Amino acid sequence: MCIRTLRVRWKGKFQKKKVILIKLKLLIVDDEPIICQGLMQTVPWNQIGVEVVGSAFDGEEALKMIKENRVDLVLSDVKMPVMDGLSLSEHLHNHFPHIKILIISGYGEFEYAKRAIQYGVKDYLLKPVDIDELMKIISDIQAEMILEKKNEFRSILRQVEYWSITGKDTQLTHIPVKDHLSSRYCLIGSEIRDFSETVMPLHETEQQILKNKWVSLFEENLIEEGILAASVFISENRLVTCCKFSEEEQPDFHILGKIVKNVERQLEKPIYLCLSSCFQSLNEINNYFLELLTALKAHPYMNRTVYTAKEILPTLGPKILDSDMFEKGLKKVWENDEVQLQQFAEDLFTHFKENKWSLEDVVTALKQLEKKLLSEFQVIRKSSRVNQINVTVYNSYNQIKKVFLEDLKEYVSYRQSIVNDGQRWLVKKAIAYINEHYSSDLKATEIADVINVSPNYFSQLIKQETGKHFNDYLHDVRVTKAKSLLKETPYRIFEVSEMVGYKDYKYFVQIFKRVTKLTPTQYRNIAADAISTTLHV
């Protein structure tokens, strides 16, 4: 090579990135020392987050340096003595697959360099080197590595979530033996406050748009602060984010508080964050995932938007409901006084908050209370709203208190309704009429006329007796009849639809699937397989 090959073309158009998430260690390999020196001194490596760790004059020397130093990127000439650029690329591809390779070649070596693609070479440049082109290629490599890292984080988080739910040990995949990009990690759990009131009323499509926006805003704001992050939803309103910090960095409360404000402003919803402790390797993530889930229980009584697991875990422990308060509360409920019901709920939840109860513990206590309260009223107990609470959706004391009060009021209403045997007789008569005329175009007004009450009063009676609104109860009756017909008769599905009272076939399929989680065809096939299996046995 002659000295003029040191010439570079640099138009100076490359702009410095605001944030460099991936900082690379570069090794330059060329048999001409002046070429190595020129590349080291001419290219503005710092502007693109690259540190030149040294230079080597052939492939064998390069391999020795790679074994002794962290190297993420190799910039190599093609023709060199001892071990040329292609042989070096092949060896790195087989033994150091994490290292990215760029080849420099002269015009006469162009076809030769192209063959290096099969060895995982990311790109090749012609001499003289165009610095703008080189910097653009490295920028693209960094972007590709960021995407790979984010996908790796998401895959690991999903595996850890599966492990936490099932309790089954799983061998985490996609975790590198040695992480060349970071030595510090942290998990962040976030939720939207009062989710059941601020998000659940939205249409399902709007909810999904909001959640997608939430992930994008959160990750983008973290990235703007130089924090590589990727997130997955582990429940309807719980986002877990895996963050990577460089060796010098660590979670900063001021920065995270600023991120929360930015996300809240753009999302137009209040959120809060909980941070796990930092850890050195992704192989440790299971323990810190459980730590985060445990610490998230503290958010209802926290006065801060951002808090850490480390400061919360010592305060968490088993909670026991005061027995005197419990018994006095039951007495108030049995007195059927709505004002006293409200006061009982207020006193109960004041106790929960003052004693720092987690929402999980609150729901457990309420279930025990309702079990005793409703022991004689199985119909109401089955429709208990407290039993169906998801604490990431109803994620505040006030939201759960409202659900609990609904259960108490329904209990009082039901208890009052059964005092009068005549009311029970009316309900039984109405249900008998529904079971007899389900295939016709039944209306609540028609049944109310049959039992000689107002439509509104009939609606209250059927809800008190069955725990369901009239239309939902009628759907259940019709679907039950349809299941028998699908299982025991050869009628086609549209015929079954008409026989149970649905003139619109598509509407029947929609209702059947909503009730059974299966289409009529799927149900018939499963039923047929079950019968066939029984006969063969």
Side-chain angles (χ1 to χ4, degrees):
M1 293 183 186
C2 60
I3 193 167
R4 60 190 177 88
T5 59
L6 278 173
R7 288 182 301 126
V8 295
R9 298 190 302 274
W10 187 15
K11 302 171 186 176
K13 294 181 180 179
F14 191 90
Q15 298 295 319
K16 179 181 177 181
K17 285 186 177 182
K18 181 180 179 182
V19 175
I20 298 172
L21 293 176
I22 299 292
K23 297 180 181 180
L24 302 177
K25 302 283 189 179
L26 171 68
L27 176 65
I28 298 173
V29 187
D30 196 294
D31 61 335
E32 291 286 345
I34 196 168
I35 300 294
C36 294
Q37 184 178 4
L39 286 171
M40 292 172 69
Q41 296 178 355
T42 307
V43 181
W45 298 112
N46 287 338
Q47 290 188 22
I48 53 175
V50 175
E51 177 189 345
V52 179
V53 297
S55 60
F57 303 127
D58 61 61
E60 284 193 357
E61 185 180 356
L63 289 177
K64 291 179 182 178
M65 295 184 68
I66 288 170
K67 291 176 182 178
E68 297 173 356
N69 300 275
R70 168 189 151 187
V71 175
D72 305 310
L73 179 64
V74 169
L75 179 61
S76 175
D77 188 18
V78 173
K79 289 190 175 180
M80 296 179 295
V82 186
M83 176 185 283
D84 62 19
L86 277 186
S87 299
L88 173 62
S89 298
E90 182 179 11
H91 186 90
L92 294 178
H93 179 67
N94 293 330
H95 301 282
F96 300 90
H98 67 276
I99 296 180
K100 313 296 180 183
I101 310 165
L102 293 178
I103 290 290
I104 303 175
S105 68
Y107 284 102
E109 304 160 349
F110 187 67
E111 290 300 323
Y112 181 55
K114 284 176 64 177
R115 287 168 42 206
I117 297 298
Q118 63 183 303
Y119 301 133
V121 171
K122 301 303 295 182
D123 214 326
Y124 46 86
L125 301 98
L126 294 176
K127 300 173 182 176
V129 176
D130 184 324
I131 292 187
D132 288 307
E133 181 184 4
L134 172 61
M135 296 174 79
K136 174 62 169 59
I137 290 172
I138 292 177
S139 176
D140 290 343
I141 289 174
Q142 289 170 324
E144 179 183 327
M145 293 174 73
I146 289 172
L147 182 59
E148 289 175 356
K149 199 70 177 175
K150 291 180 70 171
N151 289 335
E152 172 191 301
F153 286 172
R154 291 192 181 99
S155 174
I156 292 170
L157 285 172
R158 291 190 181 98
Q159 293 175 68
V160 175
E161 177 194 8
Y162 173 80
W163 166 79
S164 70
I165 292 173
T166 63
K168 296 179 179 178
D169 291 333
T170 178
Q171 183 65 40
L172 296 180
T173 58
H174 306 300
I175 296 182
V177 175
K178 182 178 181 181
D179 188 343
H180 291 266
L181 302 180
S182 171
S183 61
R184 293 177 70 84
Y185 295 92
C186 177
L187 297 178
I188 298 179
S190 59
E191 292 185 12
I192 293 177
R193 295 179 184 272
D194 300 316
F195 188 83
S196 67
E197 295 178 357
T198 61
V199 179
M200 289 300 288
L202 300 176
H203 187 274
E204 186 176 339
T205 302
E206 294 177 303
Q207 290 185 35
Q208 190 58 51
I209 291 173
L210 179 71
K211 290 167 71 174
N212 291 342
K213 186 177 180 182
W214 175 9
V215 174
S216 298
L217 287 173
F218 195 49
E219 291 184 0
E220 288 169 6
N221 274 270
L222 286 167
I223 287 173
E224 285 179 7
E225 297 295 340
I227 303 170
L228 180 59
S231 311
V232 296
F233 280 101
I234 64 170
S235 71
E236 196 164 359
N237 180 37
R238 182 166 286 176
L239 187 70
V240 174
T241 304
C242 184
C243 299
K244 179 195 77 68
F245 301 88
S246 70
E247 296 178 6
E248 302 81 15
E249 296 173 320
Q250 61 182 353
D252 185 305
F253 269 66
H254 174 72
I255 290 176
L256 291 173
K258 183 176 72 172
I259 289 173
V260 169
K261 290 180 180 179
N262 288 340
V263 174
E264 287 181 334
R265 176 174 50 81
Q266 297 177 75
L267 199 62
E268 299 181 339
K269 294 288 183 293
I271 65 173
Y272 59 83
L273 306 182
C274 178
L275 285 72
S276 76
S277 303
C278 290
F279 51 100
Q280 300 295 321
S281 168
L282 287 173
N283 286 295
E284 304 175 80
I285 194 171
N286 283 6
N287 293 334
Y288 293 92
F289 186 84
L290 292 182
E291 177 194 74
L292 179 69
L293 295 187
T294 303
L296 279 167
K297 296 179 180 181
H299 76 82
Y301 52 80
M302 292 298 295
N303 296 319
R304 300 197 307 274
T305 302
V306 181
Y307 66 96
T308 67
K310 186 176 181 180
E311 64 183 305
I312 289 301
L313 291 180
T315 70
L316 296 175
K319 305 295 183 181
I320 301 175
L321 188 63
D322 184 275
S323 58
D324 289 339
M325 176 181 288
F326 187 89
E327 295 300 330
K328 290 177 182 178
L330 287 180
K331 185 177 179 181
K332 290 179 180 180
V333 174
W334 284 323
E335 290 173 357
N336 297 336
D337 186 322
E338 187 168 333
V339 174
Q340 292 196 34
L341 283 183
Q342 184 73 41
Q343 188 58 51
F344 167 54
E346 293 293 340
D347 292 344
L348 190 61
F349 277 82
T350 297
H351 174 81
F352 290 150
K353 186 171 184 178
E354 289 178 349
N355 290 277
K356 298 183 177 180
W357 281 52
S358 71
L359 297 185
E360 289 84 350
D361 288 335
V362 168
V363 170
T364 298
L366 296 181
K367 287 179 179 179
Q368 293 173 352
L369 190 153
E370 288 196 355
K371 182 178 180 180
K372 184 170 184 178
L373 182 66
L374 305 176
S375 59
E376 298 178 6
F377 307 102
Q378 293 300 316
V379 172
I380 296 297
R381 186 177 171 190
K382 289 179 180 178
S383 64
S384 166
R385 296 169 181 82
V386 167
N387 283 331
Q388 302 168 24
I389 284 179
N390 178 337
V391 294
T392 67
V393 175
Y394 294 86
N395 60 341
S396 73
Y397 293 126
N398 283 336
Q399 292 173 83
I400 295 179
K401 180 173 65 178
K402 289 178 181 179
V403 174
F404 178 57
L405 273 171
E406 288 177 8
D407 276 357
L408 291 184
K409 290 175 181 178
E410 185 172 349
Y411 157 75
V412 169
S413 176
Y414 184 77
R415 192 166 183 264
Q416 290 173 336
S417 71
I418 64 173
V419 171
N420 189 330
D421 290 338
Q423 290 179 331
R424 295 295 300 272
W425 177 81
L426 289 176
V427 173
K428 289 181 179 180
K429 184 177 180 181
I431 290 176
Y433 188 86
I434 293 171
N435 285 324
E436 184 177 355
H437 298 87
Y438 66 89
S439 60
S440 63
D441 187 18
L442 271 183
K443 303 292 184 187
T445 53
E446 175 185 342
I447 303 173
D449 287 340
V450 169
I451 63 175
N452 199 29
V453 297
S454 70
N456 285 340
Y457 188 53
F458 163 69
S459 296
Q460 293 177 23
L461 290 177
I462 196 72
K463 181 70 164 61
Q464 290 169 1
E465 180 68 21
T466 67
K468 298 183 178 181
H469 294 291
F470 164 71
N471 285 335
D472 292 331
Y473 181 77
L474 179 58
H475 287 320
D476 283 355
V477 171
R478 286 173 169 172
V479 168
T480 298
K481 302 294 183 181
K483 288 163 67 177
S484 296
L485 290 170
L486 291 169
K487 184 177 180 180
E488 301 169 6
T489 73
Y491 291 119
R492 288 179 287 184
I493 293 174
F494 78 89
E495 294 174 320
V496 171
S497 171
E498 293 180 353
M499 293 170 72
V500 298
Y502 295 104
K503 305 305 178 186
D504 186 330
Y505 168 77
K506 290 184 179 179
Y507 184 60
F508 165 66
V509 173
Q510 177 184 339
I511 294 298
F512 191 98
K513 188 173 183 180
R514 189 177 76 190
V515 174
T516 68
K517 309 302 181 188
L518 299 169
T519 65
T521 301
Q522 289 171 333
Y523 179 83
R524 171 168 271 173
N525 290 339
I526 291 172
D529 289 344
I531 292 172
S532 176
T533 301
T534 302
L535 291 175
H536 281 87
V537 172

